[in-house]
Amino acid sequence: MNGLPQDQLQRLRDELEQRKLALQEQIDSEAAEADARASLLNEIEASPADNASVRTLNALVSEAAEHNMAQLAIIKHALAKFADGSYGLCDNCGEAIGLSRLNARPEARLCIDCQTRLEKSLRSVP
Ligand SMILES: [Zn+2]
């Protein structure tokens, strides 16, 4: 068990649920905006310069959307860990992640040791 008090667990879970909803809303509204821009682009024959800037904007938006989707997946993963009672435990070593770290990052999957090791190994990749 992660050894976390029930009320703290509940609070972290509520926060994750709220973040999940907010992200889902953001993803939905951005998808709607992207659709609106795409149809606008089809309707008006924009000048090449405008076309380019719309394309750049779309690229930026889809980058943000990808980030949101990735974030949403991480949050869903954390919420799934509540279901099997493994929330608050490191995905890698199974040790408790610790309440202070969970307060800062309720979606954390790894304990600080494993996270540090992971970041070091990522940095060492040329
Ligand atoms: Zn660990």
Side-chain angles (χ1 to χ4, degrees):
M1 280 308 282
N2 51 47
L4 296 171
Q6 200 57 42
D7 59 334
Q8 297 289 327
L9 276 175
Q10 188 58 47
R11 191 179 48 76
L12 290 163
R13 188 178 190 162
D14 285 348
E15 187 176 331
L16 284 167
E17 291 281 2
Q18 273 169 18
R19 282 206 209 176
K20 187 176 89 167
L21 287 177
L23 270 172
Q24 266 165 349
E25 266 175 34
Q26 211 177 327
I27 289 166
D28 286 351
S29 74
E30 274 163 9
E33 275 174 35
D35 279 355
R37 257 199 311 279
S39 55
L40 194 67
L41 199 59
N42 287 335
E43 277 170 32
I44 51 166
E45 281 291 343
S47 72
D50 284 349
N51 250 322
S53 57
V54 169
R55 264 198 295 275
T56 307
L57 187 60
N58 274 336
L60 287 173
V61 167
S62 75
E63 209 171 278
E66 269 173 40
H67 176 80
N68 283 341
M69 296 291 273
Q71 199 61 26
L72 184 62
I74 289 168
I75 287 172
K76 280 184 175 170
H77 175 81
L79 284 167
K81 288 171 79 178
F82 278 99
D84 63 12
S86 68
Y87 180 77
L89 301 178
C90 176
D91 271 7
N92 187 49
C93 69
E95 293 291 323
I97 292 174
L99 188 56
S100 58
R101 177 159 161 76
L102 289 172
N103 279 332
R105 297 193 53 190
E107 75 283 14
R109 307 172 57 160
L110 299 174
C111 70
I112 194 71
D113 287 349
C114 291
Q115 183 71 42
T116 307
R117 262 200 297 276
L118 178 72
E119 279 167 13
K120 266 186 198 154
S121 71
L122 288 178
R123 265 203 300 277
S124 67
V125 174

